[in-house]
């Protein structure tokens, strides 16, 4: 899970929405606290950042911290509030693995797929073949 937090932070840092002003280095400082396992300090900073220029980013990181601490209902709340692509992916994984919610593959796929693709019907295995999830043994294509 630690690698996932680091990956998410790096992805956010280098992605387009991270080009916004880093609000006095607060995101960097919160990420350092997160990496050190000092979640309470990181949460304080991210909650302040909810009123800044990147509230989705802050909500996603709050969800990631809650998930790391196995506070799944809180993680779901933050991911749903954020709604960005990383939060949707993390929420999809929670539904796929049944973390804090009833395992629901259909909902996981719907969350994972971009909203623009939602109008086309896909089989669950076709949709999951686009991701790492296709390696799961429950998804075989019979080829």
């Amino acid at each position: 899970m630690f690698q996932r937090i680091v990956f998410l932070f790096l992805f956010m840092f280098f992605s387009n929405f991270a080009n916004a002003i880093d609000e006095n280095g607060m995101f960097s400082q919160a990420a350092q606290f997160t990496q050190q396992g000092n979640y309470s300090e990181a949460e304080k900073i991210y909650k302040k950042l909810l009123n800044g220029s990147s509230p989705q980013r802050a909500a996603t990181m709050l969800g990631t911290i809650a998930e790391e601490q196995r506070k799944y209902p809180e993680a779901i709340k933050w991911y749903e509030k954020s709604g960005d692509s990383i939060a949707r992916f993390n929420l999809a994984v929670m539904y796929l693995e049944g973390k804090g919610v009833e395992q629901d593959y259909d909902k996981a796929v719907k969350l994972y797929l971009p909203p623009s693709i939602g109008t086309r019907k896909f089989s669950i295995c076709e949709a999951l073949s686009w991701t790492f999830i296709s390696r799961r043994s429950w998804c075989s294509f019979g080829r």
Side-chain angles (χ1 to χ4, degrees):
M1 187 68 176
F2 176 74
Q3 291 93 356
R4 194 160 139 195
I5 291 172
V6 172
F7 170 78
L8 287 173
F9 174 74
L10 291 174
F11 177 80
M12 284 190 236
F13 184 78
F14 290 109
S15 68
N16 289 339
F17 65 88
N19 290 332
I21 297 172
D22 189 16
E23 301 193 24
N24 301 325
M26 291 173 73
F27 276 109
S28 298
Q29 185 180 18
Q32 287 177 341
F33 283 131
T34 302
Q35 290 173 352
Q36 295 166 357
N38 190 348
Y39 299 124
S40 61
E41 288 301 316
E43 285 175 350
K44 288 177 190 175
I45 295 171
Y46 286 129
K47 285 180 181 177
K48 288 179 187 175
L49 289 166
L50 287 171
N51 297 320
S53 62
S54 300
Q56 288 181 315
R57 181 179 172 197
T60 298
M61 293 309 295
L62 284 166
T64 305
I65 289 171
E67 186 178 355
E68 174 70 16
Q69 296 175 311
R70 292 182 169 76
K71 297 178 183 175
Y72 298 126
E74 186 178 338
I76 291 167
K77 176 189 85 168
W78 288 117
Y79 289 150
E80 288 176 345
K81 181 174 180 162
S82 172
D84 72 7
S85 59
I86 295 170
R88 287 175 56 93
F89 177 81
N90 290 348
L91 192 55
V93 171
M94 291 181 76
Y95 275 99
L96 183 70
E97 297 176 353
K99 289 183 176 179
V101 292
E102 186 174 330
Q103 195 172 37
D104 187 342
Y105 297 128
D106 291 333
K107 187 155 186 161
V109 169
K110 287 176 187 173
L111 284 165
Y112 180 73
L113 292 176
S116 61
I117 299 178
T119 57
R120 182 174 163 220
K121 299 220 182 237
F122 293 96
S123 73
I124 190 167
C125 289
E126 180 184 9
L128 293 177
S129 69
W130 300 330
T131 69
F132 72 96
I133 300 168
S134 66
R135 293 181 287 181
R136 304 268 190 219
S137 61
W138 55 265
C139 188
S140 67
F141 293 96
R143 294 181 190 178

